[in-house]
Amino acid sequence: MEPQRAVTVGPYRVGGGGPLLWICGPCVIESHDLTLRIAETLKSYVDRLGLQLVFKASFDKANRSSGKSFRGPGLQEGLKTLAAVKDATGLPVTTDIHECAQAAPAAEVCDILQVPAFLARQTDLLEACGRTGRVVNVKKGQFMAPWDMKNVVAKLSEFGTGNVLLTERGTTFGYGMLVNDMRAVPWMQETGAPVIFDGTHSVQKPGALGDRTGGDRAMVPVVTRAAVAAGCDGVFLETHPRPDEAKSDGPNMIPLDVLPRVIAECVRVRAALNRPDDATAT
């Protein structure tokens, strides 16, 4: 078992028993103005609750169920919006990339480069991310065992980066369903990398709506609290002011005004884990 390495993200330190890292934002950049409004609301939560929070939004959803689905504004316009979020709020930002050529331009703006679960084994993409010097967050493939992520960490180390986060986001279980094995959190922590739990995508029902992915957002707080109890180092939650009107992953996203309650519940679970044992013998 590798000793866990704390990873620096902007002003934050992740792992090693430190405060939870929150990665939050809408699934996709639907518009410049809406993205900024969501980011400003999240910044108010950071100030009020004292959070370590990274803003997340995708410039391109390249793996939508249907070719007719909304994908986002694209690389150049998307990075302009993420840069504006960073300037307006001071929050670190992250986005997911799908092609090697996207790594370097994204790294000019983003503090974390996110590798989607479907691409977790793509060596060239991992190398392109690792060579930028940015923190790389790799989501565990739905088709991978938790311990197989040690190979992902080893690849990134070979490419010159030890600044790695791993994200658990559920495992394929039959057709159209994902399940979470919370043992994945400590198993992946054995790689030495801090482990983030993705509550949003863990409750997906891939392809459940025919040409769209479904999900059960009511289960997001349940599985997220369980992951915090299992000792994860951070939480990934997508959020939107009106999830039912969102252009991507609406069924899985937490309403923006509900998010503080979910965060508060998780913070209480984390505090309970860190409290000294005050049990008395009977």
Side-chain angles (χ1 to χ4, degrees), residues 111-124:
D111 300 86
I112 303 174
L113 299 182
Q114 180 174 290
V115 176
F118 284 124
L119 301 175
R121 291 171 56 97
Q122 295 296 100
T123 302
D124 288 347

Side-chain angles (χ1 to χ4, degrees), residues 3-247:
Q4 193 180 53
R5 300 178 295 274
V7 172
T8 299
V9 179
Y12 312 140
R13 284 180 64 79
V14 189
L20 290 168
L21 181 73
W22 297 89
I23 302 177
C24 300
C27 179
V28 66
I29 297 171
E30 296 183 14
S31 73
H32 183 86
D33 290 343
L34 175 61
T35 304
L36 281 174
R37 290 200 300 272
I38 295 172
E40 288 165 354
T41 300
L42 290 173
K43 179 60 165 63
S44 73
Y45 297 163
V46 169
D47 295 339
R48 174 156 54 96
L49 302 173
L51 307 175
Q52 296 194 140
L53 189 142
V54 175
F55 181 83
K56 178 269 169 187
S58 299
F59 60 79
D60 180 20
K61 300 301 294 183
N63 57 354
R64 298 302 305 273
S65 299
S66 169
K68 298 178 181 179
S69 297
F70 179 79
R71 288 181 55 168
L75 178 65
Q76 292 186 347
E77 292 303 313
L79 291 178
K80 288 179 183 177
T81 294
L82 290 170
V85 165
K86 202 168 184 177
D87 289 342
T89 65
L91 295 174
V93 299
T94 185
T95 195
D96 44 355
I97 66 170
H98 299 82
E99 301 174 5
C100 297
Q102 296 172 343
E108 293 180 7
V109 174
C110 297
D111 300 86
I112 303 174
L113 299 182
Q114 180 174 290
V115 176
F118 284 124
L119 301 175
R121 291 171 56 97
Q122 295 296 100
T123 302
D124 288 347
L125 185 60
L126 293 172
E127 179 174 10
C129 291
R131 298 292 188 200
T132 67
R134 290 298 193 183
V135 176
V136 182
N137 178 26
V138 186
K139 291 195 169 185
K140 178 182 71 64
Q142 304 93 320
F143 46 86
M144 294 175 67
W147 45 85
D148 290 336
M149 293 299 284
K150 69 179 182 298
N151 297 319
V152 171
V153 175
K155 285 180 183 179
L156 286 165
S157 178
E158 292 167 7
F159 302 141
T161 181
N163 294 321
V164 180
L165 305 175
L166 301 179
T167 293
E168 160 61 15
R169 49 91 72 234
T171 300
T172 300
F173 183 74
Y175 295 119
M177 184 67 72
L178 300 173
V179 296
N180 286 113
D181 181 352
M182 293 305 169
R183 295 175 298 177
V185 172
W187 274 333
M188 289 201 294
Q189 286 172 331
E190 290 180 0
T191 66
V195 172
I196 311 299
F197 180 80
D198 181 348
T200 302
H201 295 95
S202 288
V203 302
Q204 277 185 331
K205 296 179 180 178
L209 302 180
D211 62 350
R212 290 172 293 138
T213 288
D216 184 0
R217 78 170 65 98
M219 290 293 106
V220 172
V222 177
V223 295
T224 302
R225 291 194 302 264
V228 173
C232 68
D233 301 288
V235 176
F236 178 108
L237 293 175
E238 289 181 339
T239 186
H240 192 283
R242 297 173 299 280
D244 290 334
E245 300 174 18
K247 296 182 179 181

